[in-house]
Amino acid sequence: MTITPRLAWRNLWRHKRRTWLTVSAIAFVTVLMVFLITLQLGSYDLMVDSSLRIFTAQMQVQREGYLDKPQIRKIIPDAVALAERLRADPALRGVGIATRAQAFALASSGTRSYGVQVVGAEPEHEPGVSTVPRLMKFGRYLAAHNAQEVVLGAPLAKNLNIRVGDELTLLGSAMDGSVAATIVPVVGIFESGMRELDRVLVEIPLGTFQELFGMGQGAHAIALLAPDLAQLPLMHREVARLLPAAPELVVLDWDRLIPGLKQIIEADWTIDWFIYVALILVVTLSILNTFIMSVLERTREFGIMLALGATPLRIGTLVFAETALLALIGLGIGIGIGFGIAAYLSVHGFTYPGLKEFMGQYGLPALIYPKLSAKAILIGPAVILSFILVAALYPAFRIRKLQPVEAIHVA
């Protein structure tokens, strides 16, 4: 151990109370940063997972170009067989996989008509990728692959003035350009929690959809939902490996399917960092005041050191080393406590009043689990350390202006 770190360590404990107060301030803001950042990243996972579980799913297989221009003829041939092949793969065990087809149509009931999105769903597999089948407000969900029945969102049912047991007329365009028309009974009305979706969504069994719109065994998407978002990279690679060479199919992750959700997260992350930086800045200025007072109190000491031959650079390095050691002690304590809190909550979860009731009505989890990773734990302390070290340059540079004779005679 060289002389500078040894002197810096000794000097720290000349005023133990001041040192511990400064360490406590650094540790407190570090605990706060570690906890808030891991919790924030965990809340993003909850938001993404909850939004995707309602209907979109985490990943979809589609015909290339369908996402940008959803035309009914851009189908996945033998989509049901491809979905079964994916389900049979051991690497995708536990992943919800469901085939879907969709088209736009005019829904009519009595004297009212509205444009709707008609989705053909597999009744036996749709519950694995969507919460809609579990959120029936009235009636039941679709019963069989070829059943002549329909379910729709509560706001749409209200607009159409339709109830369970009534008949709904659907009028659209089939894949070959002919008219697709049918009259089916309403067996269920759901409320997913996304009013924009509930206003337009009508679901019918996939077999009925394929017959109505003349699609044969084709469909437009295969939706996949993993138990955990962390499985998405592996799931993406495995699904891409299993896709046939022709026609051209693509695997789309949630950030491609719902780009607005990613933009919301990025905007929130940026705004929150303004708050974090302001908090760190306030604490840093308080610590800087302590550093400056420490240097002023030791002016005579520094004058004597200069008179004995020490260079201003050597003394400045000593002051900087004291600051660095002080910061590292506070950061070490803060990271340890913050990690402990985050690790505990990552197992038991964190919630706040009202969240459980709000999420429970939509069949979604109500606990936030802090996301533990090296980045989440260290990014906050790294920013704090950077601010403190930059602040420490000011008292270190002040020493360059000291004149030995004047400094020695300071009262």
Side-chain angles (χ1 to χ4, degrees):
M1 193 173 186
T2 62
I3 189 66
T4 299
R6 290 173 61 188
L7 286 174
W9 180 259
R10 186 202 66 181
N11 290 336
L12 282 183
W13 304 110
R14 288 163 65 180
H15 300 281
K16 293 182 180 180
R17 181 178 299 178
R18 182 168 61 193
T19 296
W20 280 117
L21 285 173
T22 307
V23 166
S24 299
I26 297 172
F28 174 76
V29 73
T30 303
V31 170
L32 208 58
M33 290 294 292
V34 171
F35 172 70
L36 290 177
I37 290 175
T38 55
L39 186 66
Q40 184 177 2
L41 294 176
S43 68
Y44 289 156
D45 282 353
L46 177 65
M47 181 173 69
V48 170
D49 197 41
S50 299
S51 300
L52 300 178
R53 286 179 184 277
I54 292 175
F55 181 72
T56 307
Q58 299 159 348
M59 188 180 296
Q60 290 188 14
V61 176
Q62 295 182 1
R63 188 78 171 260
E64 187 176 24
Y66 179 78
L67 180 66
D68 299 322
K69 195 172 183 180
Q71 297 174 326
I72 193 171
R73 66 175 180 273
K74 293 181 179 179
I75 64 171
I76 303 172
D78 298 321
V80 175
L82 177 57
E84 288 296 338
R85 182 183 174 189
L86 295 177
R87 293 188 195 102
D89 187 78
L92 298 178
R93 187 175 293 116
V95 175
I97 302 174
T99 307
R100 291 175 180 163
Q102 60 185 41
F104 296 98
L106 185 69
S108 302
S109 174
T111 59
R112 298 185 180 184
S113 299
Y114 285 89
V116 298
Q117 180 182 6
V118 183
V119 172
E122 294 182 288
E124 64 273 30
H125 297 298
E126 187 67 16
V129 298
S130 170
T131 60
V132 169
R134 302 194 299 272
L135 296 174
M136 305 308 299
K137 189 174 182 180
F138 304 105
R140 60 170 175 82
Y141 190 63
L142 305 173
H145 187 76
N146 293 295
Q148 297 292 319
E149 56 192 22
V150 64
V151 297
L152 67 161
L156 179 59
K158 183 178 180 181
N159 291 337
L160 289 169
N161 193 24
I162 197 170
R163 292 175 293 182
V164 173
D166 294 343
E167 291 186 332
L168 182 69
T169 301
L170 296 174
L171 181 64
S173 178
M175 193 168 72
D176 60 3
S178 62
V179 175
T182 187
I183 299 175
V184 285
V186 175
V187 297
I189 297 174
F190 59 82
E191 193 168 11
S192 69
M194 297 178 64
R195 293 191 62 83
E196 296 78 7
L197 181 69
D198 295 347
R199 286 194 190 100
V200 298
L201 182 60
V202 172
E203 288 194 6
I204 64 175
L206 180 61
T208 305
F209 184 100
Q210 291 171 330
E211 181 181 355
L212 174 63
F213 289 92
M215 295 180 59
Q217 296 301 309
H220 294 112
I222 298 175
L224 300 98
L225 186 74
D228 192 336
L229 287 172
Q231 296 178 239
L232 294 191
L234 175 62
M235 187 167 73
H236 186 114
R237 292 193 298 270
E238 190 65 19
V239 172
R241 183 184 68 82
L242 295 172
L243 294 183
E248 189 65 31
L249 303 179
V250 292
V251 184
L252 303 175
D253 292 335
W254 66 268
D255 55 346
R256 286 284 309 280
L257 297 170
I258 315 179
L261 184 59
K262 184 177 181 180
Q263 293 168 3
I264 290 172
I265 291 174
E266 290 174 346
D268 183 75
W269 179 252
T270 302
I271 292 171
D272 284 347
W273 264 103
F274 279 109
I275 300 173
Y276 295 154
V277 169
L279 174 64
I280 295 171
L281 186 60
V282 170
V283 175
T284 302
L285 291 176
S286 301
I287 296 170
L288 175 60
N289 181 62
T290 303
F291 295 158
I292 294 175
M293 291 299 297
S294 174
V295 171
L296 291 177
E297 289 175 359
R298 298 162 63 189
T299 301
R300 192 167 185 272
E301 173 190 335
F302 293 150
I304 295 173
M305 293 176 67
L306 289 170
L308 292 174
T311 64
L313 178 62
R314 183 69 176 270
I315 300 173
T317 302
L318 175 64
V319 173
F320 189 82
E322 293 175 15
T323 306
L325 283 173
L326 196 67
L328 291 174
I329 294 171
L331 290 172
I333 295 173
I335 290 173
I337 297 174
F339 176 78
I341 295 172
Y344 175 83
L345 293 176
S346 69
V347 176
H348 297 89
F350 174 85
T351 189
Y352 51 84
L355 180 62
K356 185 176 182 179
E357 292 75 12
F358 176 77
M359 300 294 281
Q361 63 182 323
Y362 304 122
L364 298 172
L367 290 175
I368 302 173
Y369 295 91
K371 187 174 183 179
L372 295 180
S373 66
K375 176 183 177 182
I377 294 169
L378 297 178
I379 186 172
V383 175
I384 295 171
L385 179 61
S386 300
F387 272 66
I388 292 176
L389 293 182
V390 170
L393 294 175
Y394 176 70
F397 283 142
R398 280 182 60 91
I399 297 171
R400 297 181 59 186
K401 299 180 180 180
L402 291 179
Q403 297 298 322
V405 175
E406 295 177 0
I408 292 172
H409 288 86
V410 171

